[in-house]
Amino acid sequence: MLDFFRDGFYKDLVLLLVISIILGAAFSQGVAWAIDTYFGDTLDQMIGEYGEYDLILHIREEAKEAALRELQRIGEQSFPGYKLNETLTIAGQANVFFGLPPQFRTREVLESITSYFGAVPGLNGYTLMAEPSVLIRGVHPGVREELREEIEELKGVSFTVKDGNNLVVLTEKEDDLPQVTAGIEGILAQYQILELRFPMGFEVDTQEVGNKALEILRAQESSASRYANVTSAQYGEDLDAFLKTLVEMRDFLGSYASKVRISPSPGISLSVGERIVLEAVGEMQEELIIEVTGVFGDLAEGMIIQGSPVQSMDRVVQQGYRLLGEGEQGDYIGEVEIENERYRLAYAVDESLRLLAELEELAVQASSAVDNAEAVLTTFQEALMQLEVLQVQMRQLNEGIAKGDAKSSGEQFLVTLLLNGLFQTLAQGVIHTGEESLDSLQNLDIEEMRSSLDGISTQIANVQEIDVAAIMEQIGFVRDTLPDLSDAEIGQSIRLINTYLGGQVIPGERVQLLIQGEAPNEKALEKIFQTELENPYLHTYSTSAGMVSPDARGEIFRILKEVRSIVAGMLAIIFTMIVLALDHAAIFSTLKQLRAGKKARTKRWMRILDPLLLFGGVLGSGLLTSIYYLAKGQIPFFSPVVVAALGFVLGVVLVVFAERFSPVDSMELMAGQSLGLSNVQIMREVVIPPSRPGLLNLLNRFKQQF
Amino acid sequence: MLEIRDLRKSYGKLTALAGVDLDVARGETVVIMGPSGCGKSTLIRCVNRLTEPDQGSIILGGQDVLALSSPELQKFRRRVGFVFQQFNLIARLTVLENVMFHLVLGGMEREEAAERALASLDKVGLRAAADRRPRELSGGQQQRVGIARALVTNPEIMLWDEPTASLDPILVGEVLEVMEELVKETGTTMVIVTHEVSFALRVAHRIVFMDQGRVVEEGPPQEVFAEPRSEIAKLYRKLLVN
Ligand SMILES: Nc1ncnc2c1ncn2[C@@H]1O[C@H](COP(=O)(O)OP(=O)(O)OP(=O)(O)O)[C@@H](O)[C@H]1O
Ligand SMILES: [Mg+2]
């Protein structure tokens, strides 16, 4: 086989290989580079060059024009030298880039974006993208300031900016990023947040439990240098709120369900979860099934999980039987009392509706009654005043008579007599009962009575003004919208919520502890806390005080670089395959043809390890490896060994299927031999010219004589 | 001129030549006949090592053919004319190029090579077709180009491997005519594998019958056809009688 190359064709082959490799590498890398550049440019257009902009302002599309005008105004006024660029509008939201001039790129400005830009019309929020920077996500508020101080001490850091739960660390130069990132990671590693979670329903005094927990921690042997209670309320608020709502919901549903009280007969014991069946009575459609939800001494509670109870204002007492597995009725267990709250509520609502309807009428009646009362009072008062005058006169008369005034003339006496007689007839009844009665009449506080009557009358007037019809409509609406759930449905819902709430430890209350120094063994601590805090349900979780997250742009570029390497690698493989199939296949076809006339192989290894296959494999391996690495290819999981092996396999496949890729006319080949052509001449003049148009074919044009 | 001794060749388990001895004198025309698959082509290809024999010796013009190095072999092959059953022309070259290209590759000036090629084409009556491509010619014409190509180097010996076997009967005549002329005019040593019995009878100095990789009978045509000893020779005689 080596003979074949010896008389000159090796030169052609070497040239072919060199050019294939150079071309392959250049092509693969070139295409990859083009892709890279294209995306890189697009990206720059989209998000600006590194450090060009500091903020992305998200603005509602319809307010964009106004927002841009306002931004220009703010820029000119507060940040002369600012940069503004409106980029993509996605899903109705315009993204506007805003670049601060260097002197304004400070913590103060970056932390008060809302105060500067809050008035921008249509502003939906903003994203900080000041660069070069390192982003720390999820920084625990309890350690933020401490972390800040430590991080700002790091070399290369210019300042830090709090951005919600994140901390943005700005560095002086882009080159500082790796070192600053490492520094931050070192600092973060020093902090651990140990969280004690109590299941739902445990009301925990976070301060008290926190302090206890700290004591427990301090009692442990550990190299941690500091412990602190950093329980923060806002942490995980949403979930808490959701779970609390669920609990409320469950309680609401529970209060709304029919109350089921079970009085087991003596000797019968019930357990939670057990089911009781009640036979259908009255207008009930089907039997009721009750699940026992609680057992309290010789009483038990339950809820209806199937069927509807009798609709009655009163308690209904029925006989309960155990429900056996197959829906069979078991032993009698005792009396079950059901109180249908919903029915009562509905009744109450209906009643109030009826009363309201009568109220209006009542008000009219009351109003006329008050008017009458006032008229009576006026008459009464007038009468009273006359009485008073009479009384005075009578007193004077009486006194005059009693003293027997000597000076009194006969004339006066006569008058007195007359008057006396008159008075007696006029005010018979009053005088009769004596002066006491009149006094008590006088004691009546007429004015007081009048003003209270006035009050009543205005109130009644108010009642008349109330739109009773509207109120009735409202109440009617309430009645109609009273959840139209059956007891069974309520029961099922409660069960559902309970399984959700009960199935897992839900952070009902949490206590967060900061541990500085070596991280403790969280699971071992959990046991200790469970015993020491006497709560077997609590769990511990340890989290970091913050996570360094790669900045978006760096990440995008890293991915782009990765894509580029993958593309280059793939192209290298494809190129190698093409070169092998187009060019080398012709060579191997020829070699295989020529071998047919040769002597049978004598050496044993040759029979096992076909030198042609070996040669093909080595060639493929060399070709692929060279092109792949020159093209800077990098495909995940493609180690050099894998690449070389893949090349080898490609080469072997090529040898096996050489004739398929590039058939050689054996007649022409034999003619060439018989005419005394050398191997290189056979290749150049006979085999290659009609072979597939490839590099080999192209290069051969320079050497071909016919 | 040509001495073949105990030549053996196997393709895997199949034995194509099982020890062939053959002598051809200078200027002699030897016709080899035998049933299909008996090893005729293998034998004749071994002479210029288109096929490498496993064993035996081939001496041509005093040269040990099997001992030749690659470059020597190439030189040697130029002294041996070979005509193929399938003509084996180079499809992409013109008729003239087909006849001259190996001369140029062997170091001859193009003009001279062209001249000689044209002369050679003259001999086979195809000068006029010099600029055409093989596929534009009939089978007989193509084979005549093949003959011109073999002839152009003035070979010491010409090997013919069933030159008319893939032609239709009408075209066979023109090729045989050319061959007969060549034998008579040039006096070149010829080894011809053919089934053309009458041609053999007319042209051959000696006929060699082969069967199953061996020479089974040989002798002057009149003799072997008059008194065939082997089964093969008898079969060929029948052909002749018919
Ligand atoms: N390259 C090869 N590989 C395997 N077997 C071969 C090869 N060439 C020839 N043979 C076999 O060797 C035997 C002799 O073949 P050869 O071509 O010499 O016969 P032949 O007498 O020329 O026959 P034909 O009249 O058909 O041309 C045949 O059985 C053939 O199948
Ligand atoms: Mg044959």
Side-chain angles (χ1 to χ4, degrees):
Chain A
M1 185 182 72
L2 289 177
D3 261 10
F4 175 78
F5 296 101
R6 208 165 275 154
D7 65 11
F9 189 63
Y10 73 93
K11 285 189 213 151
D12 295 31
L13 184 66
V14 168
L15 186 69
L16 171 70
L17 288 177
V18 169
I19 292 183
S20 298
I21 290 170
I22 292 172
L23 258 170
F27 167 75
S28 308
Q29 213 182 353
V31 172
W33 176 81
I35 291 172
D36 190 23
T37 314
Y38 173 75
F39 283 115
D41 279 356
T42 315
L43 214 67
D44 277 348
Q45 271 168 25
M46 268 158 50
I47 61 177
E49 274 171 32
Y50 196 81
E52 196 177 349
Y53 297 104
D54 302 291
L55 294 178
I56 310 173
L57 296 150
H58 312 297
I59 289 160
R60 277 203 313 280
E61 196 181 359
E62 65 273 14
K64 195 172 72 184
E65 297 309 317
L68 285 173
R69 253 177 279 124
E70 176 66 7
L71 282 171
Q72 268 163 6
R73 197 192 59 74
I74 295 171
E76 273 152 27
Q77 204 172 63
S78 310
F79 310 110
Y82 72 100
K83 269 189 191 160
L84 192 64
N85 185 21
E86 178 215 334
T87 60
L88 300 173
T89 297
I90 304 161
Q93 184 160 280
N95 295 291
V96 177
F97 288 92
F98 195 92
L100 293 166
Q103 69 271 26
F104 293 108
R105 208 168 285 151
T106 61
R107 177 207 276 213
E108 289 68 33
V109 172
L110 291 175
E111 280 187 358
S112 33
I113 298 300
T114 14
S115 63
Y116 284 105
F117 294 95
V120 171
L123 185 70
N124 270 345
Y126 67 92
T127 307
L128 265 191
M129 55 177 286
E131 280 161 336
S133 64
V134 180
L135 177 64
I136 313 174
R137 284 189 193 279
V139 177
H140 193 282
V143 277
R144 187 191 301 123
E145 288 314 310
E146 258 180 272
L147 281 175
R148 245 185 157 160
E149 273 171 34
E150 273 194 66
I151 288 168
E152 283 179 354
E153 294 286 296
L154 287 173
K155 198 168 154 275
V157 171
S158 41
F159 61 91
T160 60
V161 179
K162 170 190 176 295
D163 180 24
N165 264 342
N166 301 341
L167 196 62
V168 183
V169 180
L170 279 111
T171 62
E172 275 146 22
K173 297 189 297 294
E174 198 187 335
D175 296 344
D176 292 331
L177 285 175
Q179 155 219 331
V180 168
T181 306
I184 293 171
E185 276 166 352
I187 292 171
L188 286 175
Q190 285 296 305
Y191 291 89
Q192 290 285 318
I193 305 288
L194 187 70
E195 199 169 278
L196 306 187
R197 289 191 190 162
F198 295 86
M200 203 66 200
F202 281 90
E203 289 295 314
V204 175
D205 180 339
T206 52
Q207 209 50 46
E208 194 191 311
V209 173
N211 291 339
K212 263 196 214 162
L214 286 181
E215 273 168 37
I216 295 166
L217 273 180
R218 291 200 183 98
Q220 304 303 311
E221 264 182 46
S222 148
S223 59
S225 57
R226 190 163 72 91
Y227 301 101
N229 183 358
V230 290
T231 306
S232 108
Q234 73 191 81
Y235 213 50
E237 233 172 21
D238 287 351
L239 182 61
D240 279 356
F242 170 66
L243 293 167
K244 286 205 171 108
T245 309
L246 267 189
V247 172
E248 293 285 321
M249 178 95 161
R250 181 188 61 186
D251 294 347
F252 171 72
L253 283 172
S255 69
Y256 203 53
S258 294
K259 297 276 168 297
V260 179
R261 266 178 292 279
I262 308 156
S263 329
S265 306
I268 301 277
S269 76
L270 290 174
S271 51
V272 174
E274 214 171 334
R275 296 188 176 184
I276 294 165
V277 61
L278 308 183
E279 282 175 342
V281 293
E283 77 263 41
M284 277 166 66
Q285 301 289 328
E286 50 172 347
E287 56 191 16
L288 280 182
I289 295 179
I290 309 241
E291 187 178 288
V292 179
T293 54
V295 179
F296 314 95
D298 50 3
L299 253 185
E301 276 183 1
M303 66 185 180
I304 297 170
I305 58 168
Q306 195 184 309
S308 309
V310 180
Q311 299 218 329
S312 165
M313 286 281 290
D314 302 318
R315 296 174 183 183
V316 176
V317 176
Q318 282 180 259
Q319 309 304 313
Y321 301 88
R322 246 186 250 277
L323 181 67
L324 302 178
E326 310 284 290
E328 280 170 50
Q329 191 170 314
D331 305 335
Y332 173 71
I333 54 104
E335 288 188 339
V336 178
E337 193 182 279
I338 298 172
E339 230 178 316
N340 192 329
E341 299 275 342
R342 261 182 350 282
Y343 189 73
R344 282 192 181 175
L345 183 58
Y347 179 80
V349 171
D350 282 346
E351 280 301 290
S352 40
L353 276 177
R354 207 170 47 72
L355 280 174
L356 268 174
E358 287 169 4
L359 187 62
E360 208 163 15
E361 207 180 318
L362 209 76
V364 177
Q365 287 173 0
S367 159
S368 62
V370 168
D371 288 348
N372 288 343
E374 261 185 283
V376 170
L377 263 185
T378 311
T379 324
F380 184 73
Q381 202 171 20
E382 277 168 15
L384 212 58
M385 271 161 69
Q386 282 180 342
L387 274 175
E388 266 177 85
V389 175
L390 268 175
Q391 196 178 22
V392 171
Q393 286 176 339
M394 273 164 65
R395 206 175 282 136
Q396 286 171 348
L397 265 176
N398 281 350
E399 279 168 3
I401 293 163
K403 281 174 190 168
D405 203 339
K407 288 169 194 174
S408 52
S409 60
E411 204 179 70
Q412 201 178 3
F413 180 70
L414 191 74
V415 171
T416 305
L417 264 181
L418 264 171
L419 275 174
N420 221 355
L422 183 73
F423 186 76
Q424 275 184 348
T425 35
L426 263 176
Q428 196 99 36
V430 179
I431 301 298
H432 204 73
T433 46
E435 273 186 28
E436 276 169 56
S437 303
L438 197 64
D439 281 345
S440 66
L441 262 180
Q442 270 180 311
N443 283 345
L444 276 174
D445 191 341
I446 303 288
E447 282 312 308
E448 175 68 37
M449 282 171 76
R450 188 185 296 275
S451 73
S452 67
L453 265 181
D454 281 349
I456 290 169
S457 112
T458 35
Q459 273 168 14
I460 289 169
N462 285 344
V463 169
Q464 278 174 303
E465 269 167 34
I466 293 169
D467 190 348
V468 178
I471 295 175
M472 283 169 66
E473 202 178 304
Q474 287 292 328
I475 294 180
F477 178 72
V478 169
R479 185 191 51 187
D480 293 345
T481 53
L482 276 177
D484 200 11
L485 290 170
S486 70
D487 268 304
E489 284 168 329
I490 294 171
Q492 299 289 5
S493 303
I494 292 177
R495 272 156 51 85
L496 194 72
I497 294 175
N498 276 342
T499 43
Y500 182 73
L501 290 176
Q504 61 205 54
V505 179
I506 287 151
E509 285 286 346
R510 62 183 84 211
V511 171
Q512 291 166 324
L513 306 171
L514 171 70
I515 299 174
Q516 198 176 353
E518 199 199 328
N521 180 344
E522 165 195 331
K523 286 298 139 196
L525 276 177
E526 185 172 276
K527 292 235 166 55
I528 297 169
F529 280 126
Q530 283 173 354
T531 28
E532 299 270 327
L533 294 174
E534 292 166 3
N535 190 332
Y537 303 111
L538 75 77
H539 287 283
T540 59
Y541 298 91
S542 120
T543 53
S544 65
M547 290 264 290
V548 171
S549 78
D551 74 308
R553 179 195 297 271
E555 195 65 354
I556 291 169
F557 277 99
R558 195 184 57 70
I559 291 168
L560 259 185
K561 212 177 138 229
E562 226 167 67
V563 168
R564 168 179 153 158
S565 314
I566 291 172
V567 168
M570 303 275 250
L571 288 174
I573 293 171
I574 292 168
F575 191 90
T576 306
M577 282 160 69
I578 292 173
V579 165
L580 286 176
L582 288 184
D583 299 337
H584 298 266
I587 300 171
F588 283 100
S589 291
T590 310
L591 282 170
K592 283 170 84 174
Q593 285 283 348
L594 291 180
R595 193 167 66 171
K598 291 275 164 65
K599 262 189 252 187
R601 269 163 268 140
T602 43
K603 292 194 190 92
R604 211 172 148 230
W605 69 267
M606 281 187 166
R607 254 175 274 161
I608 298 162
L609 221 138
D610 189 336
L612 212 55
L613 290 181
L614 194 68
F615 176 59
V618 170
L619 187 85
S621 183
L623 205 58
L624 179 59
T625 308
S626 322
I627 295 178
Y628 186 88
Y629 286 104
L630 281 175
K632 300 205 170 71
Q634 196 109 54
I635 301 175
F637 311 116
F638 274 49
S639 65
V641 178
V642 174
V643 173
L646 179 66
F648 195 91
V649 170
L650 286 178
V652 168
V653 168
L654 163 80
V655 174
V656 174
F657 296 104
E659 298 90 338
R660 297 246 187 108
F661 295 129
S662 189
V664 166
D665 187 328
S666 59
M667 304 291 175
E668 295 191 359
L669 188 63
M670 208 179 272
Q673 281 181 292
S674 78
L675 294 171
L677 303 191
S678 66
N679 287 324
V680 62
Q681 286 171 334
I682 290 175
M683 288 309 292
R684 287 181 187 171
E685 305 296 332
V686 178
V687 173
I688 299 173
S691 74
R692 293 191 183 280
L695 212 49
L696 182 65
N697 195 294
L698 191 76
L699 291 173
N700 193 59
R701 300 259 165 98
F702 299 103
K703 305 194 178 130
Q704 193 178 327
Q705 297 191 38
F706 281 91
Chain B
M1 171 84 197
L2 175 65
E3 274 178 50
I4 296 172
R5 291 287 171 271
D6 192 30
L7 201 66
R8 288 166 192 274
K9 172 74 182 178
S10 312
Y11 297 105
K13 286 193 179 126
L14 189 129
T15 306
L17 296 178
V20 171
D21 294 293
L22 181 70
D23 289 275
V24 179
R26 188 174 296 277
E28 192 179 19
T29 297
V30 171
V31 168
I32 300 176
M33 289 179 151
S36 187
C38 72
K40 308 179 297 284
S41 294
T42 306
L43 172 66
I44 204 172
R45 282 180 193 169
C46 281
V47 174
N48 72 347
R49 277 174 64 186
L50 290 177
T51 296
E52 298 278 359
D54 298 336
Q55 243 186 58
S57 73
I58 302 171
I59 310 290
L60 198 144
Q63 245 179 335
D64 182 352
V65 176
L66 300 183
L68 297 174
S69 68
S70 271
E72 285 167 347
L73 177 63
Q74 285 152 25
K75 247 183 235 148
F76 165 79
R77 279 170 174 169
R78 285 180 208 145
R79 291 168 22 219
V80 178
F82 202 106
V83 180
F84 297 89
Q85 180 178 340
Q86 307 286 346
F87 334 131
N88 296 25
L89 299 180
I90 309 296
R92 71 182 176 92
L93 300 181
T94 63
V95 165
L96 181 66
E97 284 170 334
N98 257 291
V99 180
M100 68 179 272
F101 85 112
H102 56 294
L103 296 178
V104 175
L105 294 176
M108 194 181 282
E109 288 297 316
R110 265 181 190 258
E111 288 78 36
E112 193 193 342
E115 239 169 67
R116 287 182 60 171
L118 284 171
S120 188
L121 281 171
D122 240 351
K123 283 187 200 155
V124 297
L126 277 176
R127 192 188 183 111
D131 291 329
R132 296 164 77 183
R133 309 247 165 213
R135 66 174 173 284
E136 299 161 28
L137 304 179
S138 73
Q141 290 173 316
Q142 286 188 44
Q143 188 58 298
R144 277 147 65 198
V145 175
I147 294 168
R149 179 177 70 182
L151 214 57
V152 77
T153 49
N154 289 324
E156 292 166 26
I157 182 168
M158 282 186 77
L159 308 173
W160 307 71
D161 189 2
E162 303 195 40
T164 59
S166 53
L167 297 175
D168 61 79
I170 304 159
L171 300 175
V172 170
E174 65 179 74
V175 174
L176 290 179
E177 229 169 77
V178 170
M179 287 172 69
E180 210 170 325
E181 251 176 59
L182 278 177
V183 172
K184 287 181 179 149
E185 283 176 17
T186 59
T188 311
T189 313
M190 307 241 182
V191 178
I192 305 169
V193 175
T194 184
H195 297 290
E196 300 294 333
V197 188
S198 56
F199 170 79
L201 198 61
R202 263 182 285 130
V203 179
H205 298 128
R206 190 153 51 97
I207 295 182
V208 174
F209 289 103
M210 281 181 72
D211 193 15
Q212 298 190 356
R214 283 173 216 278
V215 173
V216 290
E217 190 175 345
E218 60 177 302
Q222 290 79 6
E223 261 177 50
V224 290
F225 283 126
E227 275 178 56
R229 280 168 288 133
S230 63
E231 290 303 310
I232 301 302
K234 283 175 189 160
L235 281 173
Y236 275 97
R237 194 177 73 143
K238 256 187 205 157
L239 276 177
L240 190 65
V241 172
N242 292 350

